[in-house]
Amino acid sequence: MHSYRLERSRGLDGHNVVTAIIEEYHLDLQQALYWLSGYASKTISNFLANSRGLPSWGEKIDRAVRVYIDLVARCVRGYDTWSYETNRYYGEDGLKVQERRKITLLPPASGYISKEELELEVASVAA
C-alpha cells in the first residue's frame, strides 16, 4: 500500500499488491484499499489469536517463542511506522497521511521505462 503511489507514478506498479487486488477482484483503487485493509485486519486478528492459543513446550521454550512472536509483530508494526516517518513514500507529508489516512496520487514521473516500453525493447532485441 505504501509504495503504490510512488510505483504508479513511475509506471512500475504492475507487481504491487494493490494492482493485483484491482485486477483480481475488478475493483477501483479505493475499493482495493478497503479490501486490503480488511485483509490486513483479519490477518492481524488471526496472528494475535493464534499466538495466544499456542500449546506449551515448557517454560524455557515458551519464553523463547513469546519473544519470537513479539519480535515478528514488532517488525510488521515497525515497517508500517517507518513507511510514514521516512520521506520515501510520502515525502514530507508522511505523518499527515498517517493521521488523515488520505493520499494524493502523483502525476506520471519521467525517466522511468514503462512495462510496455520494456516489453517492446526486449522483443526488438530478441528478434
Side-chain angles (χ1 to χ4, degrees):
M1 172 196 78
H2 294 296
S3 63
Y4 179 77
R5 179 177 95 132
L6 187 62
E7 291 168 354
R8 182 180 176 276
S9 76
R10 296 176 178 176
L12 304 172
D13 59 319
H15 66 283
N16 188 286
V17 69
V18 174
T19 302
I21 293 166
I22 289 169
E23 292 180 11
E24 176 85 14
Y25 298 106
H26 309 289
L27 303 173
D28 64 27
L29 176 57
Q30 187 61 60
Q31 292 169 326
L33 292 171
Y34 286 143
W35 187 98
L36 183 57
S37 175
Y39 182 83
S41 293
K42 287 178 203 167
T43 301
I44 291 165
S45 215
N46 288 339
F47 175 85
L48 294 172
N50 290 335
S51 67
R52 287 188 298 268
L54 291 172
S56 177
W57 297 281
E59 188 176 328
K60 183 178 178 182
I61 292 175
D62 290 353
R63 190 173 334 118
V65 169
R66 279 193 305 273
V67 167
Y68 175 76
I69 295 292
D70 182 61
L71 292 173
V72 168
R74 288 174 186 261
C75 182
V76 172
R77 181 69 182 113
Y79 174 73
D80 188 57
T81 299
W82 174 85
S83 296
Y84 292 112
E85 292 177 359
T86 184
N87 290 342
R88 180 178 179 102
Y89 299 122
Y90 306 109
E92 299 290 327
D93 296 330
L95 296 177
K96 290 178 192 170
V97 169
Q98 184 180 30
E99 179 184 330
R100 296 179 187 155
R101 308 310 265 182
K102 292 183 180 184
I103 64 166
T104 302
L105 294 177
L106 298 170
S110 62
Y112 296 92
I113 187 168
S114 71
K115 178 182 174 187
E116 293 77 19
E117 292 169 325
L118 177 61
E119 289 170 351
L120 288 172
E121 184 67 26
V122 169
S124 71
V125 170

